[in-house]
Amino acid sequence: MGVKNRLVLKMSGEALASTASDQTIDAATVDRLCREIAETREELDLELAIVVGGGNIWRGATGEMAGMDRSTSDAMGMLGTVINALALQDALESHNQPTRVLSAIRMTEVAEPYIRRRAMRHLEKKRVVIFAAGMGNPYFTTDTAAALRAAEIEASMLLKGTHGGVDGIYSADPKVDPWAERYDHVTFRDVVTKDLRAMDLTAITFCSDNELPIRVFDLMAPNNLRTALSGGSVGTLVS
Ligand code: UDP
């Protein structure tokens, strides 16, 4: 269900970092990803929203382990996602995509506040919407923020782009178990009962409750992004 051609793409923060250099945000990597997004969005006339993570900059759990207050540490993580969102905006605009960053934490000098109806209007006008600062609440991840925003804006699918070379959902951790099999399709129930590591469990149960299909795929392999945005079969479909 949802509006046809309206998609939410979740990009992990680490996808913007470089494996070759130690850049927190690698301009060449961001440019490549944004070029693929821009070309595909135009070709298919997509209404596209992006939720970007912040793991390349800070994760709330990291600070908590070092003894920080969890909510403060999560606020730092959310601010990290805003930095990434601005980098994506810059790169998308260099590929001629009108783009708006909507932040769940108010900072009106750099981004619009998140207002659902405004987000929908931007999408109708074919502006790429980047949702920043997750949901604005601590104790959540940007996976869950992506699921929530996708439901709110009536997207037809959530595309979860991974970066660690794991190109979908496997029967076991493929980095540990050489016999691990990649699934083309799994149900929400499979993910929960078999404890398949794909996405934050809160996000999975939310998508299940709201009948929002998810495609998990490797963001970094050339052309994968295009295939996923085009509705092609890549990685694993959860429905
Ligand atoms: N975060 C949060 N609430 C949200 C979304 C994110 O508190 O709604 C914080 C949390 O600390 C998280 C960090 O922001 O660790 C970065 O997000 P995430 O770990 O999801 O980024 P990714 O792994 O996708 O790069």
Side-chain angles (χ1 to χ4, degrees):
M1 269 165 295
V3 178
K4 192 174 160 283
N5 270 1
R6 184 178 293 170
L7 300 170
V8 170
L9 170 66
K10 160 72 208 296
M11 297 170 80
S12 68
E14 271 160 3
L16 313 189
S18 165
T19 41
S21 67
D22 61 352
Q23 297 292 320
T24 308
I25 297 174
D26 180 59
T29 305
V30 175
D31 185 70
R32 182 190 70 75
L33 292 169
C34 288
R35 180 184 306 122
E36 211 165 306
I37 292 170
E39 288 172 0
T40 316
R41 200 212 64 74
E42 259 175 34
E43 267 166 44
L44 303 172
D45 201 28
L46 297 175
E47 294 187 13
L48 181 66
I50 299 174
V51 173
V52 66
N56 54 326
I57 297 173
W58 187 259
R59 280 209 174 84
T62 312
E64 189 182 38
M65 280 188 285
M68 279 183 73
D69 170 63
R70 176 64 191 254
S71 297
T72 305
S73 189
D74 278 336
M76 291 166 64
M78 287 187 272
L79 296 179
T81 72
V82 182
I83 296 176
N84 286 336
L86 295 179
L88 284 177
Q89 176 171 48
D90 183 80
L92 283 166
E93 291 197 335
S94 77
H95 291 286
N96 302 318
Q97 300 301 299
T99 303
R100 298 290 187 271
V101 176
L102 271 57
S103 173
I105 294 176
R106 262 158 223 274
M107 45 179 91
T108 45
E109 281 76 9
V110 292
E112 293 179 15
Y114 170 68
I115 296 168
R116 175 176 166 268
R117 282 169 187 271
R118 188 179 277 193
M120 312 269 270
R121 184 75 186 128
H122 287 322
L123 290 169
E124 284 162 11
K125 290 193 162 186
K126 302 293 152 79
R127 295 170 183 144
V128 179
V129 170
I130 304 174
F131 293 122
M135 294 196 279
N137 303 314
Y139 292 94
F140 287 96
T141 66
T142 50
D143 279 1
T144 307
L148 172 67
R149 294 292 185 245
E152 283 185 280
I153 65 167
E154 295 162 17
S156 52
M157 185 174 276
L158 171 56
L159 302 168
K160 149 102 176 165
T162 63
H163 67 276
V166 179
D167 56 351
I169 301 180
Y170 281 75
S171 53
D173 184 348
K175 287 185 177 158
V176 179
D177 181 350
W179 303 105
E181 256 184 281
R182 181 166 61 74
Y183 298 114
D184 290 332
H185 176 240
V186 288
T187 63
F188 288 112
R189 183 178 291 274
D190 286 338
V191 175
V192 177
T193 56
K194 296 183 186 161
D195 192 24
L196 303 175
R197 295 297 154 93
M199 221 174 162
D200 197 284
L201 209 53
T202 316
I204 293 285
T205 50
F206 180 92
C207 289
S208 171
D209 287 349
N210 294 287
E211 292 173 38
L212 179 70
I214 309 168
R215 184 172 288 286
V216 181
F217 69 102
D218 179 4
L219 197 56
M220 306 317 276
N223 273 321
N224 260 10
L225 197 43
R226 181 185 298 272
T227 309
L229 289 170
S230 317
S233 156
V234 63
T236 303
L237 175 68
V238 190
S239 64

